[in-house]
Amino acid sequence: MDTVDRTEHTHRTGGERPRRAFLGGVAAVGGALALGAGGTAAAAPAPAAARRRTAGRTVAVLGGGVAGLTAAHELAERGFQVTVYERKPGGLGGKARSMDVPGSARGGRRPLPGEHGFRFIPGIYHNLPDTLRRIPFPGNANGCHDNLVASTEVMFARTGGREDIRIPFSSLGTPPPVLTPDAFLRMVTGLLDTATRLPVHEVAYFANRLLVFLTSCDRRRLDVWEHTPWWRFLRAASMSADYQRLLAIGLTRNIVATKAEIASTRTVATCAEAFVFNLLGRGADGQPDRVLNLPTNEAWINPWVAYLRSLGVRFEVGWAVRDLRLAGGRIAEAVVTDPQGARQSVTADHFIQAMPVEHARATWNAAVRAADPQLARCDKLATDWMTGIQFYLTEPTPVIHGHVNHIDSPWSLTAVGQAQYWKGRDFPADYGDGTAADCLSVDISEWDQPGILYGKTAKQCTREEVAREVWAQMKAGLNDTGAAVLRDATLHSWFLDPAVSGLGTPHPANDEQLLIHPTGSWLNRPSSRTAIPNLFLAGDYVAVDIDLATMEGANASARQAVNALLDASGSAAERCAVIPLYRAPEFAALRRHDETRHRFGLRNVFDLG
């Protein structure tokens, strides 16, 4: 039986919808589902918070990605009655989830694990790791957080006979005990000089530009750097091709899917600032590069859903939001379609819309948009394609113990060998047909440039051509010095994200795109609180401190949304912690000085122009 009464959920005709048991196997915390076994177990008894439900505290969370699950988590622990509506069957976890490769399992093994894109949870994240610690996992003192594994290096794979750049994190040396501008410049120039072998003057200029941003006040960051393309901020047009490729393009297109020529300096440099301090061991949750020690659903999403169910959270999967109906200045209902395509009405005291922006804005009708102008501004937010493909290999092929940025690849590829991290799994014994021994997970960030095999863009290629092209581009980066790192003979199979459709036709489509960050985007990003008193927004497009489309941003925005809901409902519950990015206290005085200079129209004191 259900632990608590569901959010009121009626047909449009007004008839009460019958209550029913959970489907898909409700698991007790620490049970089989938390281990990813897929079995069914009895639901754990609801904790006290879940039993103290009162009238007026029902919440419909629209969207079951990281933002939606975070909101459900925070609300359920505070005694609210929560139902999560997720449009995709198997879609809980959103773009962060892993998924089964259809028809790949043999001999009682699990299906091969596929995913929208590989997981990357750096030490600059604070809100998401806090949530991970609060999700129970069998045998882990710190819950799912103990499933994070640190990488030891990063590599920039070059083509054309150029030597690959490998940076072991252990080689970064001891950070200066007191961070002065001179110490910062020495540290960055030393690192870049050793790693990139760029001309000395280019390294010095890049280090100076980082210092300018680090010592810029918030007002200058918003007034000037938000409207300055990263390409222009770095003066990339007048620098060498390697400078452009490594420091301009490599930090934008390959990582955040935004072209350097249009990417907001505020967004890119905010992320770079956080990573620099992470490398220095300042204000970090952990190492700069971390992945999960199992496929995402096994290590995180399944235990999370199991825990939320134990708190009384209800899940309706396959329910798609079509419209929000406004009455009396409030959201009266969300109009949805159920898995059979029938229209349904969802009513609740409060609504948290935790959908990707391209899907959320399609549900805002004229009345809803008129009620809050910030919703209409979301039409100006841009998305692009950043989609994953996995290659399954018959031999362990770790490449390196970390991520590989194929810096010269036309399709802006990044990759990681995953099985080396999955210590709790014997890959061929546990997955697929017993002959696949590794999974090389690759993100494709550029879909509109010609490739090296067919001379076509990724969107113009068929799915098979995309797989062959990506494989060829990776080999061009990893095998060009003579070593056969990737061999055709070891390629078992591949899996391209099913969210991409229509490839090779005049109408390619991507149902799960990524928010990108051209200049001026910040001004169109909404707050979690809307002018509609019972509607709150969560998602990686909502304005948060990290200013980047990430799982961390989704998590932080959900915490903001819950806090706004608690305020609106008059709740006495403790507010969610929303942890900002770290900033060096040594530079605080310089930022205050810069505020005065900016007010008088002067450049930053370190800005050489």
Side-chain angles (χ1 to χ4, degrees):
M1 294 295 293
D2 300 325
T3 305
V4 295
D5 291 337
R6 64 191 295 104
T7 301
E8 184 184 349
H9 186 161
T10 59
H11 293 284
R12 180 168 279 279
T13 57
E16 182 176 348
R17 187 177 185 275
R19 297 180 58 183
R20 57 181 173 79
F22 294 146
L23 299 179
V26 181
V29 176
L33 185 56
L35 288 172
T40 302
R51 295 194 297 267
R52 292 195 301 268
R53 316 291 186 183
T54 60
R57 292 165 67 84
T58 60
V59 183
V61 175
L62 309 178
V66 171
L69 296 182
T70 301
H73 188 151
E74 300 293 347
L75 288 165
E77 289 189 340
R78 288 162 174 80
F80 283 79
Q81 180 180 330
V82 183
T83 303
V84 176
Y85 298 86
E86 166 54 40
R87 67 189 178 95
K88 285 195 171 186
L92 293 176
K95 290 192 284 288
R97 73 192 186 281
S98 55
M99 60 194 83
D100 295 340
V101 177
S104 63
R106 300 285 189 280
R109 299 177 184 85
R110 304 162 187 261
L112 290 170
E115 57 191 358
H116 170 78
F118 56 68
R119 301 279 65 74
F120 170 56
I121 304 176
I124 69 172
Y125 291 2
H126 289 90
N127 296 285
L128 182 64
D130 173 70
T131 297
L132 290 172
R133 289 185 176 93
R134 292 158 48 205
I135 303 170
F137 192 92
N140 288 357
N142 297 300
C144 290
H145 189 276
D146 285 349
N147 291 338
L148 294 177
V149 182
S151 296
T152 57
E153 59 182 330
V154 64
M155 182 168 81
F156 295 88
R158 306 306 307 270
T159 60
R162 287 169 289 194
E163 186 178 355
D164 295 336
I165 299 170
R166 297 181 68 153
I167 306 175
F169 293 126
S170 60
S171 69
L172 299 177
T174 303
V178 178
L179 193 62
T180 65
D182 285 344
F184 175 81
L185 291 174
R186 286 196 302 271
M187 180 198 68
V188 174
T189 54
L191 172 63
L192 292 179
D193 186 56
T194 300
T196 67
R197 294 175 291 281
L198 289 170
V200 173
H201 72 281
E202 292 187 347
V203 168
Y205 186 76
F206 181 81
N208 169 262
R209 299 312 283 165
L210 286 185
L211 180 62
V212 168
F213 186 83
L214 264 62
T215 57
S216 290
C217 65
D218 288 342
R219 179 48 57 184
R220 188 187 299 277
R221 294 185 182 198
L222 188 61
D223 290 348
V224 180
W225 305 138
E226 172 62 25
H227 302 279
T228 303
W230 180 244
W231 184 267
R232 178 149 56 89
F233 179 76
L234 296 184
R235 238 175 70 184
S238 61
M239 301 295 187
S240 68
D242 278 348
Y243 178 97
Q244 295 171 358
R245 178 62 60 180
L246 291 169
L247 301 180
I249 298 172
L251 292 179
T252 54
R253 193 65 186 173
N254 289 51
I255 297 176
V256 298
T258 306
K259 293 179 174 66
E261 294 84 353
I262 64 171
S264 159
T265 290
R266 181 183 185 274
T267 298
V268 178
T270 294
C271 186
E273 176 183 22
F275 273 109
V276 166
F277 288 129
N278 194 172
L279 293 171
L280 289 173
R282 294 287 198 94
D285 178 84
Q287 298 86 343
D289 184 356
R290 297 178 298 184
V291 297
L292 291 165
N293 63 2
L294 290 168
T296 309
N297 273 30
E298 295 183 48
W300 172 23
I301 302 301
N302 288 353
W304 201 4
V305 172
Y307 177 61
L308 296 182
R309 280 179 166 147
S310 78
L311 296 179
V313 175
R314 298 295 306 267
F315 291 94
E316 296 289 2
V317 178
W319 295 67
V321 181
R322 304 301 181 189
D323 192 21
L324 299 179
R325 190 174 68 82
L326 195 69
R330 299 171 64 86
I331 300 299
E333 66 171 350
V335 179
V336 303
T337 52
D338 66 18
Q340 290 72 45
R343 287 171 69 89
Q344 305 283 354
S345 173
V346 171
T347 60
D349 298 308
H350 310 283
F351 294 82
I352 292 184
Q353 192 160 26
M355 301 158 59
V357 65
E358 67 271 23
H359 298 294
R361 61 193 176 197
T363 70
W364 300 332
N365 57 42
V368 170
R369 288 166 178 262
D372 191 343
Q374 71 171 338
L375 301 180
R377 291 200 301 273
C378 290
D379 290 341
K380 298 179 180 179
L381 294 175
T383 61
D384 206 342
W385 292 30
M386 188 176 189
T387 304
I389 182 171
Q390 289 78 53
F391 294 94
Y392 305 99
L393 310 174
T394 58
E395 295 179 0
T397 312
V399 185
I400 67 165
H401 193 254
H403 287 83
V404 180
N405 190 331
H406 291 267
I407 201 77
D408 297 321
S409 58
W411 289 2
S412 299
L413 307 178
T414 46
V416 62
Q418 293 187 317
Q420 63 182 316
Y421 298 100
W422 296 346
K423 301 304 183 184
R425 292 282 178 262
D426 180 330
F427 198 96
D430 291 340
Y431 298 104
D433 61 5
T435 63
D438 206 346
C439 173
L440 188 62
S441 188
V442 187
D443 281 355
I444 310 168
S445 298
E446 174 57 76
W447 286 78
D448 296 306
Q449 291 295 321
I452 64 176
L453 277 186
Y454 303 104
K456 297 190 293 187
T457 70
K459 292 177 183 176
Q460 293 170 335
C461 290
T462 65
R463 297 179 76 86
E464 291 75 15
E465 288 171 340
V466 167
R468 295 190 194 104
E469 180 73 57
V470 172
W471 183 252
Q473 290 185 29
M474 287 196 298
K475 288 198 299 182
L478 295 173
N479 296 2
D480 68 331
T481 57
V485 178
L486 298 181
R487 296 184 295 113
D488 294 346
T490 68
L491 181 56
H492 174 278
S493 57
W494 53 268
F495 177 74
L496 178 61
D497 185 0
V500 175
S501 61
L503 294 178
T505 76
H507 304 290
N510 188 340
D511 192 46
E512 294 187 354
Q513 299 192 33
L514 181 74
L515 180 76
I516 61 173
H517 307 271
T519 54
S521 296
W522 178 259
L523 305 180
N524 297 316
R525 295 178 66 174
S527 63
S528 291
R529 183 191 300 273
T530 75
I532 301 171
N534 69 333
L535 176 65
F536 310 91
L537 303 180
D540 61 13
Y541 70 99
V542 174
V544 291
D545 189 60
I546 196 170
D547 188 23
L548 192 67
T550 57
M551 296 183 293
E552 173 77 351
N555 185 281
S557 71
R559 291 165 179 248
Q560 288 183 171
V562 169
N563 286 345
L565 187 155
L566 295 175
D567 291 344
S569 66
S571 172
E574 182 180 3
R575 272 33 179 184
C576 306
V578 183
I579 307 167
L581 291 171
Y582 176 82
R583 289 196 188 177
E586 296 96 326
F587 288 166
L590 289 168
R591 290 193 294 270
R592 289 193 298 269
H593 178 63
D594 188 62
E595 188 172 0
T596 302
R597 292 181 64 86
H598 179 61
R599 193 182 310 125
F600 286 99
L602 301 174
R603 291 189 305 200
N604 179 279
V605 69
F606 297 106
D607 195 343
L608 304 177

